[in-house]
């Protein structure tokens, strides 16, 4: 019997998918404090995977974790989107592809 150890936050259906593949797994339900810490770690993990693969699936995973982080901190997705659009209206987005090279103070 081979046992592979993990210590990471996974999507809700992953334990079920593992069981359907004929394997068994051990899980635990995290406290709110531990969940926040693990969500932050998952953001780092998903960002690293995106940097490595740079594909749409990794972008989707990153968005899923961002949504989880927002909800875990008590925000709704609507609030997140409102703040995002307000900031974009005030400061712009990244559509013009500007690279800031220097600022000269007068």
């Amino acid at each position: 019997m081979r046992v592979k150890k993990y210590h990471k936050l996974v999507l809700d259906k992953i334990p079920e998918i593992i069981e359907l593949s004929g394997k068994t797994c051990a899980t635990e339900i995290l406290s709110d404090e531990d969940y926040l810490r693990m969500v932050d770690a998952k953001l780092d993990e998903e960002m690293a995977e995106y940097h490595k693969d740079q594909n749409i699936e990794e972008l989707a995973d990153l968005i899923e974790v961002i949504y989880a982080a927002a909800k875990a901190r008590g925000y709704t997705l609507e609030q997140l989107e409102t703040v995002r659009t307000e900031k974009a209206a005030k400061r712009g987005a990244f559509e013009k592809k500007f690279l800031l090279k220097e600022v000269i103070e007068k």
Side-chain angles (χ1 to χ4, degrees), residues 74-92:
Y75 305 118
T76 66
L77 299 184
E78 292 78 18
Q79 288 173 307
L80 178 63
E81 184 59 15
T82 297
V83 170
R84 188 199 66 77
T85 56
E86 286 173 355
K87 288 186 78 168
K90 288 178 186 172
R91 299 177 61 101

Side-chain angles (χ1 to χ4, degrees), residues 24-35:
T24 59
C25 63
T27 62
E28 72 176 270
I29 305 299
L30 297 169
S31 68
D32 290 344
E33 182 180 318
D34 288 341
Y35 177 66

